[in-house]
Amino acid sequence: MFESTFADASRRDWADDGTDATVRIATVGCGNYARSVSLPAMERGEYAAPTVVVSGDADKRATLADEFGVTALDYDEYEAGAATDEYDAVYVATPNRLHLPHVETAASHGKHVICEKPLEATVDRAERLVAACDDAGVRLMTAYRMQTDPVVRRLREFVAAGGIGDVQRAVGDFTFPVLGGDAGPDQWRLDGRLAGGGALYDVGVYPLNTARFLAGDDPVAVSATTRSPDPAFEEVDQHVDFGVEFDGWVGNFSASFSGHPNTSLELLGSDGRVAVRSAFQPGADREVTVETPTGTLDLTGAGADETVEEFDYFAHAVATDAGVDPDGADGLVDMRTLAAAQESAASGRRVEL
């Protein structure tokens, strides 16, 4: 089974080689991630192309217009419908609580949407966001880039085919020192209203969603604890540990906004395990280990840049009128799970979904 599943770890299982259409994308919100990761990924892609950027910062607009050769708008111009003939879809990368109005604007212009995760700062607002796209008849993709990583997709195939037997448990961590480097406490990730949550919402969603994707399952209950010993994290969780119950198996996940950087995920089954190091960093070389009774497979440097894959997957789906997965419903499952984790941490009780 190793050979058949992992023979071509970088294979695009969604691509139609006969399609050469390019989908033009407007990027709404030009923070560091959008500027340094997302826009370059679109530019390197086969089906996606950045053509418009939207920012409230005039200097950013001028710099990005020059660097990427795009039209630059402020938020008022975007809402008013300026340059709608220059883009086919919208990538929303603003702080969580601002996703809803920017997605509503895109939907009102009849544009398809790829929205960063988590979908919003609260479940209610996320539901309204999904409804806005449904009502307008536009596609909505939740930007779970790990689901488009070819290596992760091969692991999902392997697990689905019974490669590790029945899934028993998942263990995952994402530690991101949010105050590292030049970053200070004056940032939206530490603003409870804008972010909705701290490490749980920003990085805890990665091991949760990726484990769900690999196992093809949804949570049924959550138990969680949070800690914020540093006063800088007064409004959000600095550390979180959350146990997630599924139908027949459990997940134990952690996320932190301080500490040595780490990203890892492991699925243990009745007959084997899969483990991924460097699991969630953009463009990282995944270190994958697959163990079964018949042997062990180690993969390093396999796959592709999953951010390029993410935007090309979305653009290809738009261009070919194909379905999008992960969609808004997938994003809502995680929103409800994250909210339940917050409720559990506050109450000290297990919360059913």
Side-chain angles (χ1 to χ4, degrees):
M1 190 182 292
F2 285 158
E3 291 75 12
S4 60
T5 304
F6 298 103
D8 184 2
S10 61
R11 171 173 54 89
R12 284 181 164 180
D13 53 29
W14 47 264
D16 174 4
D17 293 336
T19 299
D20 59 3
T22 298
V23 172
R24 304 166 303 164
I25 298 179
T27 297
V28 178
C30 297
N32 180 65
Y33 185 85
R35 298 195 312 273
S36 62
V37 178
S38 301
L39 284 165
M42 291 182 213
E43 196 171 51
R44 293 195 302 273
E46 207 176 325
Y47 302 109
T51 56
V52 173
V53 295
V54 181
S55 172
D57 186 314
D59 290 337
K60 283 183 185 178
R61 292 197 298 271
T63 299
L64 292 171
D66 181 62
E67 181 177 356
F68 293 99
V70 296
T71 298
L73 308 175
D74 62 28
Y75 287 103
D76 289 338
E77 291 171 325
Y78 167 64
E79 186 174 356
T84 50
D85 59 341
E86 297 182 35
Y87 62 94
D88 310 299
V90 173
Y91 167 53
V92 175
T94 48
N96 299 339
R97 194 175 183 87
L98 303 181
H99 289 177
L100 174 60
H102 298 321
V103 170
E104 287 178 328
T105 295
S108 72
H109 296 326
K111 306 298 183 180
H112 304 291
V113 178
I114 176 170
C115 181
E116 274 299 343
K117 70 286 177 195
L119 280 178
E120 245 285 352
T122 69
V123 173
D124 173 70
R125 292 177 67 84
E127 290 172 342
R128 289 163 57 191
L129 184 157
V130 173
C133 293
D134 287 344
D135 292 345
V138 300
R139 286 176 181 76
L140 170 63
M141 176 174 165
T142 306
Y144 290 126
R145 55 184 168 81
M146 301 315 304
Q147 293 197 25
T148 64
D149 184 305
V151 172
V152 174
R153 294 177 77 85
R154 298 296 82 74
L155 289 174
R156 176 184 167 96
E157 291 174 10
F158 190 74
V159 172
I164 62 171
D166 296 328
V167 175
Q168 306 287 302
R169 189 162 68 95
V171 181
D173 175 72
F174 195 155
T175 297
F176 167 54
V178 74
L179 297 178
D182 297 329
D186 186 20
Q187 55 176 289
W188 70 265
R189 285 180 174 84
L190 305 190
D191 183 323
R193 182 176 182 276
L194 282 177
L200 174 66
Y201 272 49
D202 197 61
V203 292
V205 71
Y206 280 86
L208 168 64
N209 182 266
T210 309
R212 285 183 49 231
F213 177 71
L214 290 177
D217 207 356
D218 290 343
V220 296
V222 184
S223 302
T225 59
T226 60
R227 300 167 304 287
S228 299
D230 188 328
F233 299 91
E234 180 181 4
E235 296 185 17
V236 298
D237 53 280
Q238 182 180 354
H239 308 287
V240 60
D241 292 278
F242 57 114
V244 183
E245 299 172 40
F246 296 84
D247 186 14
W249 62 284
V250 296
N252 301 107
F253 307 115
S254 58
S256 292
F257 264 169
S258 62
H260 186 73
N262 179 66
T263 65
S264 60
L265 182 66
E266 183 176 16
L267 253 67
L268 298 102
S270 57
D271 299 315
R273 76 178 184 111
V274 297
V276 188
R277 295 287 303 173
S278 301
F280 309 124
Q281 297 100 320
D285 286 335
R286 314 289 170 223
E287 300 174 19
V288 179
T289 299
V290 182
E291 293 182 2
T292 73
T294 60
T296 299
L297 174 70
D298 291 310
L299 288 173
T300 58
D305 185 329
E306 82 282 356
T307 311
V308 174
E309 298 297 300
E310 171 188 35
F311 287 108
D312 265 358
Y313 170 87
F314 171 71
H316 184 271
V318 169
T320 59
D321 199 28
V324 170
D325 187 17
D327 56 11
D330 195 0
L332 286 178
V333 170
D334 287 330
M335 283 297 308
R336 292 170 182 138
T337 306
L338 299 177
Q342 288 179 314
E343 181 184 345
S344 174
S347 67
R349 296 192 301 270
R350 171 180 176 271
V351 177
E352 293 186 357
L353 290 159

